[in-house]
Amino acid sequence: MSSYNFSRRDWLKTTALASTPFLLGPISALGSPAAPGKTPPLSAADIAAIETAMGKKGTYVEAQATHSTPLPRNDLKITIKGEPVPIAFGFGGWVAIKHTQDGKSAMLMSDTVLLQEEVNPLMSAALANGLEIGAVHNHFFYEEPRIFYMHIHSMGSPAELARKFAAALKDSKLLPANQPKAPAAAGAQPGNNATPATPSVQTGKELFDLAALDQIVKHQGVVNGPTYKYTVGRADLQSVMMGTEMTAAIGLNSWAAFAGKHSDAHIAGDIAMLEQEVNPVIKALRANNLEVVAVHNHMLFDQPRMMFLHYYGRGPATQLAGGFRAALNELGKKASGMHRRH
């Protein structure tokens, strides 16, 4: 289809002639980037084609014009320091598709959850199907078996992208058809690691004091089986990658997942940061006794450049929530001194 001939190479040629301020759009009087125009929505036919290719119903976030399919690793049993944790704690992947801002193409972004021996076979399959690799890294310490995360992206039509991605996953446990059937569960919030969880006798609603946590975090989370999860976008900035607006539903978010129980909880999560925010966030997390387990990219060619920090902690849930809130407080501040690039 001629309307989807806009490739990554075309985007790179275009942006070579453009300046960063133009790509980000003008700054409003309130200091937030002004939107350059609403991303065209996916059509019903687009969504049907994606779900047919993936063999699974996903979630369409209309406000962000993004379709997301959860890819849980229900075949795995994960422990952290020898203690079992639910897959919804951070061991579920996802794939999301949305149009570029001009509507001439679409982007696929994915975060895949892999055993060590699965990384390179999936990498080769992705490349063979015309997809690209954005990052390979850890999100945790202390987990058994050891887990790695591979971010995959591509450009094309929504149907073409879904077919290529499904073909890459054909021999992988990630493909929904290759996963064990999990009992129906409460829906998960769109965004990073948005994976429905297997129900347990007690859900996050019974295990945690949700009102107390919401008051600390200043956001409302979502109960996902035995976990409680916050997903927070970056409303203070506009990030554009290959002509596509990156929002919470396609991976640009900070999140925190709680497992265990209110008096003795695990927290794991991710903070989406500008480069000058990295060390202030690290300081805030360490001051609150949360462990930093990774700092890295998830995307390529994004402007402004976004970094992602993964963290883990153990203790009373309210104390852990305070650490997450402290990290969020460092986002959106004006760069100063040695943190400002000249």
Side-chain angles (χ1 to χ4, degrees), residues 63-214:
Q64 300 176 47
T66 303
H67 183 277
S68 181
T69 306
L71 301 173
R73 288 302 301 263
N74 293 321
D75 58 304
L76 299 177
K77 294 187 183 300
I78 307 291
T79 64
I80 292 180
K81 294 186 176 180
E83 183 175 331
V85 291
I87 294 301
F89 186 54
F91 301 97
W94 52 270
V95 58
I97 295 174
K98 71 183 296 185
H99 279 299
T100 52
Q101 290 174 310
D102 61 10
K104 293 181 180 179
S105 187
M107 171 180 283
L108 176 146
M109 288 288 291
S110 180
D111 191 4
T112 54
V113 179
L114 303 166
L115 297 170
Q116 296 175 83
E117 61 269 24
E118 296 172 334
V119 172
N120 280 280
L122 180 59
M123 186 180 291
S124 294
L127 295 172
N129 281 280
L131 307 174
E132 295 188 332
I133 311 305
V136 178
H137 46 232
N138 68 298
H139 286 184
F140 284 87
F141 288 160
Y142 318 119
E143 83 280 13
E144 293 291 342
R146 198 174 186 202
I147 301 295
F148 283 84
Y149 296 75
M150 184 159 70
H151 296 261
I152 297 171
H153 63 254
S154 190
M155 307 289 287
S157 74
E160 173 192 17
L161 291 170
R163 285 195 301 268
K164 286 181 175 181
F165 188 75
L169 266 55
K170 179 172 64 71
D171 298 322
S172 162
K173 291 289 188 181
L174 288 160
L175 190 69
N178 297 340
Q179 273 288 304
K181 299 297 181 186
Q189 181 171 337
N192 198 13
N193 291 308
T195 304
T198 302
S200 65
V201 175
Q202 287 186 299
T203 71
K205 186 176 181 180
E206 291 82 44
L207 293 166
F208 300 101
D209 184 341
L210 306 188
L213 295 180
D214 290 352

Side-chain angles (χ1 to χ4, degrees), residues 165-311:
F165 188 75
L169 266 55
K170 179 172 64 71
D171 298 322
S172 162
K173 291 289 188 181
L174 288 160
L175 190 69
N178 297 340
Q179 273 288 304
K181 299 297 181 186
Q189 181 171 337
N192 198 13
N193 291 308
T195 304
T198 302
S200 65
V201 175
Q202 287 186 299
T203 71
K205 186 176 181 180
E206 291 82 44
L207 293 166
F208 300 101
D209 184 341
L210 306 188
L213 295 180
D214 290 352
Q215 185 174 15
I216 294 168
V217 177
K218 300 178 184 176
H219 289 278
Q220 187 171 6
V222 170
V223 173
N224 189 10
T227 68
Y228 189 54
K229 181 178 179 182
Y230 296 95
T231 304
V232 182
R234 288 297 304 253
D236 61 306
L237 58 82
Q238 185 193 35
S239 175
V240 178
M241 172 180 166
M242 301 182 194
T244 308
E245 186 175 22
M246 308 308 291
T247 59
I250 200 166
L252 182 60
N253 60 67
S254 299
W255 60 273
F258 291 83
K261 58 185 179 180
H262 197 78
S263 61
D264 183 17
H266 299 267
I267 189 174
D270 193 2
I271 307 294
M273 312 161 293
L274 296 168
E275 291 176 301
Q276 68 265 21
E277 295 167 342
V278 171
N279 278 279
V281 166
I282 290 174
K283 289 178 182 177
L285 291 170
R286 294 302 300 132
N288 283 274
N289 204 32
L290 294 180
E291 296 187 55
V292 174
V293 301
V295 179
H296 49 227
N297 68 293
H298 285 180
M299 303 180 287
L300 300 178
F301 313 111
D302 49 318
Q303 296 191 31
R305 175 72 163 163
M306 301 302 300
M307 302 297 292
F308 294 81
L309 179 152
H310 294 266
Y311 63 91

